[in-house]
Amino acid sequence: MSRDLLFSEYPMFDRIMEERADLCRRVLETALGVPVDEVCNVVAERTVQPRLGSHGVRLDAMVRTKSAVYDVEMQTIARRGIGRRMRYYQGAMDTAMLPPGADYTRLADSYIVFICLQDEFGAGCPVYTFDMACAEDGGVGLGHGFSWVVLNASAWRALPEGGLRGLLRYVATEEVGDDKLAADLAAAVEAANEDAAWREEALTMLTIEEDMRAQARFMMEEAREEGLAEGLAEGLAEGRAEGADKLGALVVQLIDAGRLDEARRAATDAQYREQMIEELGIE
């Protein structure tokens, strides 16, 4: 039986951010606690590749205003290495923004915002803000022009009453309360869910993603079991992790190409997966 998508699920989040520039701006303002210019454009699920042949990144929502660029990500599961991911995202964004031969001073201010359902750092903070500071003298500014913010929706109760508490409560629980932004987001989510054809396609994509995660978990569990038996846990884990990375890259390519049935099969059929990995030249 079909169901409605939640705001925190990436097809819905991407659609709202891309189609409703007004809501996108308000989410950014609430998340960052600073004014945000009128949004010029939003591109959801944009793939940014710093250079030919390098590892590309898919940004949930890349937002441009007159004075800055933003990447806002919705993260529903905990992933290792969020700091290095943000570092790579920053580099990819900067490379995409600066034309050949342009002076570095032309780089616009940029912000990366991760909205997470879980506490990525385990410190219990609802907001983690990261900036570069001089170790020898905190008063020395680098002027790098970027900021990284990670929001922990699971700790929304730790915030005082206000917009950020209302936003994170909605992300974590789908409860609107008396928050105006949460109410407007909920109305937009309800309207999007009325698009039955889009909703069914989005649910199919989510199912494929769940299949992929389940397969990756199985591969890692199998690696641990074999490692305990043979005393090769570390080497096997690395090998299996590489296999999981290939699976992820394969499924992303197939989904991007609209080959949903093949993506679903690749997530569950090991022989077919190896065939497609070889066919598409995934390394």
Side-chain angles (χ1 to χ4, degrees):
M1 184 176 178
S2 183
R3 65 170 179 85
D4 286 347
L5 275 83
L6 307 177
F7 175 65
S8 59
E9 293 177 309
Y10 78 85
M12 179 63 75
F13 178 76
D14 293 350
R15 175 167 175 157
I16 299 300
M17 292 297 99
E18 189 168 36
E19 293 187 353
R20 293 291 304 273
D22 57 326
L23 292 179
C24 180
R25 181 183 61 79
R26 290 166 62 191
V27 166
L28 285 171
E29 285 190 334
T30 302
L32 295 169
V34 297
V36 173
D37 291 340
E38 182 179 352
V39 172
C40 298
N41 75 304
V42 183
V43 180
E45 289 294 313
R46 176 180 176 181
T47 298
V48 177
Q49 195 164 10
R51 58 180 173 79
L52 186 63
S54 67
H55 178 70
V57 296
R58 296 185 72 191
L59 307 180
D60 280 359
M62 189 169 181
V63 184
R64 290 182 180 273
T65 68
K66 291 182 179 180
S67 60
V69 62
Y70 305 80
D71 169 41
V72 55
E73 303 282 325
M74 178 66 73
Q75 186 159 300
T76 58
I77 60 171
R79 297 180 180 177
R80 294 184 303 170
I82 188 172
R84 291 182 183 271
R85 284 179 62 206
M86 297 179 86
R87 169 184 163 187
Y88 196 80
Y89 282 23
Q90 183 68 59
M93 290 169 60
D94 288 345
T95 302
M97 280 193 291
L98 199 64
D103 190 87
Y104 295 117
T105 57
R106 290 186 57 187
L107 275 175
D109 287 346
S110 65
Y111 301 82
I112 298 178
V113 180
F114 273 60
I115 305 174
C116 305
L117 295 188
Q118 302 179 39
D119 189 347
E120 291 291 330
F121 306 103
C125 300
V127 182
Y128 297 92
T129 303
F130 299 96
D131 197 357
M132 295 182 67
C134 178
E136 290 73 23
D137 186 340
V140 175
L142 184 59
H144 49 71
F146 67 80
S147 182
W148 300 350
V149 175
V150 178
L151 302 179
N152 168 25
S154 69
W156 64 268
R157 293 180 181 84
L159 289 166
E161 290 294 336
L164 186 56
R165 177 186 171 103
L167 173 62
L168 294 190
R169 178 178 62 180
Y170 177 63
V171 170
T173 68
E174 296 294 310
E175 295 176 3
V176 171
D178 57 0
D179 186 80
K180 183 65 167 63
L181 174 56
D184 291 344
L185 288 171
V189 167
E190 182 179 0
N193 273 314
E194 291 176 357
D195 183 345
W198 170 82
R199 187 180 70 243
E200 292 306 314
E201 181 178 357
L203 288 170
T204 298
M205 293 173 65
L206 288 173
T207 301
I208 291 171
E209 186 179 85
E210 286 300 318
D211 289 344
M212 182 182 72
R213 289 180 192 156
Q215 180 69 12
R217 284 195 299 269
F218 171 77
M219 293 166 71
M220 294 303 294
E221 288 168 4
E222 186 181 42
R224 283 193 291 269
E225 290 173 3
E226 292 178 8
L228 289 172
E230 303 173 17
L232 298 172
E234 183 175 353
L236 282 168
E238 289 177 357
R240 298 295 178 152
E242 182 181 353
D245 288 342
K246 288 184 179 180
L247 171 61
L250 172 62
V251 171
V252 166
Q253 280 198 33
L254 292 174
I255 289 176
D256 284 346
R259 300 160 67 176
L260 300 181
D261 290 341
E262 292 168 276
R264 184 194 298 274
R265 182 178 174 187
T268 56
D269 185 329
Q271 184 176 354
Y272 181 72
R273 176 167 61 253
E274 290 303 319
Q275 175 188 329
M276 294 303 297
I277 286 173
E278 182 177 356
E279 178 183 320
L280 295 177
I282 295 173
E283 299 179 354

